[in-house]
Amino acid sequence: MKVLIVSHSSKLTGGSEKSLVEVIRYVVNTQKEIELCLFLPKEKGKFGALAEEYGIDVEVLPYHQLCFQPECVKAWKKPLYHVRILAAAIWDAMLALRLSARMKNRFDLVYSNTSTVFFGGFLSRMLHIPHVWHIREFSSEYGRSFFAGAEYLRKHLADRFLVPSQALAHSYQNHINHEKVNVIYNGVQVPSHERAKHTGINMLISGSIQRAKGQMFAVRVLNELKTRGGVAYGRFILLEALLILRKKTTFWSIFKHITWHKMCFCTDM
């Protein structure tokens, strides 16, 4: 069986890339009958170099993620912003059409990691083979939008879905047939972090702190609980606290209860 993996990044700094590395390691080490090929955008990068060490064919192509947050764009920039998104989508569709001519009968399955679903899905339809979408965001998407809409992509450009938790699977129960969803609990390699003594609730918020990940919602909930006096809690540890998040929480009473750390998990694997 030959599987084409479409990655959204050539780097190894994010959790989704590192999670994909673990999937690749598992397949290479235990599923000898599966042959992998990896598509990367813009450059080969550390991800491509690592994949080649595992004997995987790597190809660099100029496709796009086509996942965006329109609320973060200033009003006067939105017309041009949407034109650029449309142009990128047309480019990806034409690229997939060209690739399908030379890749006919080469692969049995396309796997798209997170936000590359439009390119991977469109290519799978051109090749007439199944498409698996590894979703790593909740259905609410926290302001994220996909070109053509997430609902259209789920219905027409994906055949099976992988999610990393039961919570994500539950969030899609009204959008995706549960028989098409598989939960795989694969993590990433991180160094141990000493757990501090505390009383009450100790909460860990890990990963890249950004709006689309929803960590701010958890911080807001705990701030509300403290404001109402309904809970006693200990310290909060954030593995990667970006400056913008620090600014957003400065005026909250919860700020003094947050322990800030720099990136703790390794960037080289």
Side-chain angles (χ1 to χ4, degrees):
M1 182 178 185
K2 296 182 178 180
V3 178
L4 170 61
I5 298 174
V6 182
S7 175
H8 71 297
S9 172
S10 303
K11 301 178 181 179
L12 286 177
T13 54
S16 56
E17 300 99 300
K18 292 183 178 184
S19 175
L20 178 54
V21 167
E22 296 305 317
V23 172
I24 290 174
R25 280 178 174 159
Y26 174 80
V27 172
V28 169
N29 293 330
T30 66
Q31 309 295 316
K32 302 299 182 182
E33 73 280 5
I34 298 178
E35 181 181 335
L36 301 178
C37 178
L38 177 64
F39 277 8
L40 294 171
K42 298 180 181 179
E43 62 181 5
K44 185 176 294 186
K46 291 184 177 181
F47 196 173
L50 180 62
E52 289 182 333
E53 290 180 10
Y54 283 103
I56 298 173
D57 291 332
V58 177
E59 189 167 347
V60 178
L61 294 165
Y63 56 87
H64 305 83
Q65 292 192 35
L66 294 180
C67 179
F68 46 93
Q69 293 177 267
E71 298 86 358
C72 298
V73 181
K74 294 181 179 180
W76 65 274
K77 289 185 177 181
K78 283 190 176 182
L80 179 59
Y81 181 76
H82 289 296
V83 169
R84 291 176 63 184
I85 293 294
L86 178 60
I90 294 173
W91 173 276
D92 281 9
M94 296 302 295
L95 177 61
L97 188 61
R98 293 197 302 269
L99 288 172
S100 65
R102 68 177 175 88
M103 292 185 172
K104 188 175 181 180
N105 300 322
R106 181 178 170 185
F107 299 106
D108 302 297
L109 177 74
V110 176
Y111 163 104
S112 292
N113 193 38
T114 188
S115 54
T116 57
V117 57
F118 179 79
F119 175 71
F122 197 86
L123 179 59
S124 74
R125 296 306 181 251
M126 296 297 99
L127 295 173
H128 304 288
I129 58 177
H131 177 223
V132 175
W133 182 8
H134 201 150
I135 303 177
R136 303 179 187 276
E137 287 79 28
F138 285 91
S139 60
S140 60
E141 297 167 2
Y142 293 97
R144 277 192 169 191
S145 297
F146 288 87
F147 179 81
E151 192 69 24
Y152 177 86
L153 297 175
R154 289 190 291 262
K155 286 184 177 180
H156 302 287
L157 292 185
D159 303 291
R160 301 284 296 191
F161 305 86
L162 299 178
V163 293
S165 71
Q166 290 290 350
L168 259 73
H170 180 75
S171 76
Y172 286 99
Q173 64 179 352
N174 295 325
H175 305 282
I176 304 173
N177 184 336
H178 70 92
E179 295 181 354
K180 295 183 178 181
V181 180
N182 290 89
V183 180
I184 58 171
Y185 298 103
N186 76 298
V188 300
Q189 293 184 358
V190 298
S192 60
H193 190 83
E194 184 178 353
R195 184 176 181 180
K197 293 182 179 180
H198 67 283
T199 58
I201 299 173
N202 194 61
M203 175 180 171
L204 170 67
I205 302 179
S206 63
S208 176
I209 308 299
Q210 53 181 284
R211 181 178 181 182
K213 299 299 181 182
Q215 299 101 327
M216 287 298 295
F217 176 77
V219 175
R220 287 193 182 98
V221 168
L222 288 163
N223 183 66
E224 183 68 18
L225 289 172
K226 182 179 185 301
T227 302
R228 296 184 180 186
V231 65
Y233 51 82
R235 305 289 290 183
F236 299 91
I237 301 175
L238 289 88
L239 293 186
E240 182 187 353
L242 301 185
L243 182 59
I244 185 172
L245 182 58
R246 178 185 286 269
K247 289 180 179 179
K248 285 183 178 180
T249 56
T250 300
F251 59 89
W252 288 341
S253 58
I254 200 174
F255 180 74
K256 62 183 178 181
H257 295 276
I258 297 178
T259 301
W260 301 95
H261 291 269
K262 295 182 179 179
M263 179 93 85
C264 290
F265 55 75
C266 54
T267 56
D268 296 319
M269 302 183 68

